[in-house]
Amino acid sequence: MKEEIRNFIAETTFSEPSVIKDETLIFDEGIFDSMGLLGLINFLESEFDIVTEDTELQEENFGSVERIAAFVEKKKAA
C-alpha cells in the first residue's frame, strides 16, 4: 500500500519516488499542497474503496506516506 501511495504522490508531483520516504512530511517539504491533497483523496477513495470525511482532512492523517497508510488501514478496518 505504501508503495502505491508513494508512486501516486511521485507521479502527480513529478518527484522521484526514492525522495519520498515513509516519514517524509510531504506538505512541510513542499512536495504536496492543498490541491494535491484533493487528488490524493480521490485516489485513496477509488483505489482502496474508502470514504474520507471532511473532519478527517488533517495533517495527522495525510502528513506522510506512513500516516496516509495508517489512515487507510483504519478506514478499511472500520
Side-chain angles (χ1 to χ4, degrees), residues 1-7 22 48 65-67 69-70:
M1 176 189 314
K2 289 180 185 176
E3 201 61 35
E4 290 175 82
I5 294 167
R6 183 180 348 278
N7 287 336
D22 286 356
F48 300 109
V65 171
E66 185 74 40
R67 292 178 190 176

Side-chain angles (χ1 to χ4, degrees), residues 5 11 22-23 25 31 44 46 48 54 64-65 69 73-74:
I5 294 167
E11 288 173 16
D22 286 356
E23 65 282 347
L25 299 175
I31 296 169
L44 296 173
S46 65
F48 300 109
D54 290 343
S64 67
V65 171
E73 287 293 333
K74 183 175 83 176

Side-chain angles (χ1 to χ4, degrees), residues 53-58 61:
E53 304 297 329
D54 290 343
T55 57
E56 296 170 321
L57 298 176
Q58 303 170 13
N61 292 328

Side-chain angles (χ1 to χ4, degrees), residues 18-76:
S18 61
V19 174
I20 305 167
K21 308 291 184 213
D22 286 356
E23 65 282 347
T24 299
L25 299 175
I26 58 177
F27 294 98
D28 292 351
E29 297 290 326
I31 296 169
F32 241 38
D33 59 15
S34 58
M35 291 305 292
L37 178 60
L38 295 177
L40 176 64
I41 298 300
N42 288 333
F43 166 76
L44 296 173
E45 290 184 339
S46 65
E47 187 71 22
F48 300 109
D49 195 32
I50 62 169
V51 175
T52 305
E53 304 297 329
D54 290 343
T55 57
E56 296 170 321
L57 298 176
Q58 303 170 13
E59 189 173 344
E60 67 186 45
N61 292 328
F62 298 98
S64 67
V65 171
E66 185 74 40
R67 292 178 190 176
I68 297 165
F71 172 76
V72 171
E73 287 293 333
K74 183 175 83 176
K75 293 296 285 187
K76 289 176 70 86

